[in-house]
Amino acid sequence: FTPNCVEDIAYNDQWALPAIYACDVWELTTGNPTVNVAVVDQGIELTHTEFVNASFSDFSYDCYSDQLGNTVYGGHGTNVAGLIAANHDYGNMAGLAPNVNIMPISHPLMADEFISEELASGISWAVEHGADVINCSWGDQGGWLFEYLHSLRDNSITLFLASKLVCGIASKYTQSSFKPRFKARYPATGESIP
């Protein structure tokens, strides 16, 4: 086990990387630029210093406005993309797979009656444009997004699992084999996440 192998200032605060032995994994791979990871979130600040050498897809989509391109609605998408693909030894944090290709799919993530349709269209767009992994790191905002997000899950995930959809779990599943192989846990409490 290699405890720290990068010079990023906040690496030791990134509890998940040591927990999965990231330094040992990075001896084998830091990701492959042919792997397209769609980040369905608040958009990504592409010029952020954590992305100096990052690879971004030529395809990006704003599923809120139904327009091509990356719109930054807030900082969460940039943070999530950093957890996935921030360069090593350039800044504060280290991304798990800095050599993958990131595909921004933008949405403000504010609940309204159309959020399920809009996010489903972003997921569908990502699949149609070559996403290998789709990250959907959304919370339910203290419960008020619960109905909308579960509606999205119930009405759209089934449609896309056969293609390559991953929401919140960094693996591939087919519709018939969609069974998480581990339970995620909150680090502070040890409480299981269903």
Side-chain angles (χ1 to χ4, degrees):
F1 169 67
T2 307
N4 188 349
C5 57
V6 294
E7 298 297 322
D8 299 280
I9 297 166
Y11 174 81
N12 290 325
D13 295 328
Q14 291 181 261
W15 63 268
L17 296 178
I20 63 169
Y21 302 100
C23 288
D24 295 328
V25 171
W26 292 330
E27 289 180 21
L28 302 172
T29 184
T30 54
N32 186 320
T34 65
V35 174
N36 294 305
V37 179
V39 177
V40 184
D41 211 298
Q42 293 183 320
I44 302 168
E45 186 184 330
L46 304 178
T47 60
H48 193 284
T49 57
E50 292 289 352
F51 302 127
V52 171
N53 294 318
S55 175
F56 290 99
S57 173
D58 292 333
F59 300 110
S60 59
Y61 177 62
D62 184 331
C63 58
Y64 181 69
S65 67
D66 190 28
Q67 302 287 319
L68 294 177
N70 170 49
T71 304
V72 178
Y73 290 104
H76 192 261
T78 301
N79 188 33
V80 169
L83 293 170
I84 297 167
N87 300 135
H88 292 179
D89 303 324
Y90 282 97
N92 286 321
M93 64 190 300
L96 179 60
N99 291 329
V100 299
N101 192 44
I102 298 292
M103 177 188 294
I105 309 294
S106 307
H107 193 279
L109 300 181
M110 293 175 30
D112 63 26
E113 63 184 305
F114 303 110
I115 191 170
S116 292
E117 287 176 44
E118 292 162 354
L119 292 173
S121 75
I123 292 167
S124 177
W125 193 93
V127 169
E128 291 167 3
H129 289 85
D132 298 299
V133 176
I134 300 175
N135 179 282
C136 307
S137 297
W138 315 316
D140 75 354
Q141 308 296 318
W144 65 277
L145 283 179
F146 181 86
E147 180 182 333
Y148 296 109
L149 294 178
H150 285 272
S151 171
L152 169 67
R153 180 200 66 200
D154 296 340
N155 295 322
S156 69
I157 288 181
T158 302
L159 299 174
F160 304 111
L161 280 174
S163 295
K164 299 174 200 166
L165 173 65
V166 175
C167 277
I169 301 171
S171 278
K172 290 184 183 177
Y173 296 97
T174 62
Q175 186 170 358
S176 62
S177 69
F178 184 63
K179 294 178 182 135
R181 296 171 199 227
F182 63 90
K183 283 191 172 188
R185 296 190 180 278
Y186 293 107
T189 64
E191 177 184 338
S192 291
I193 302 169

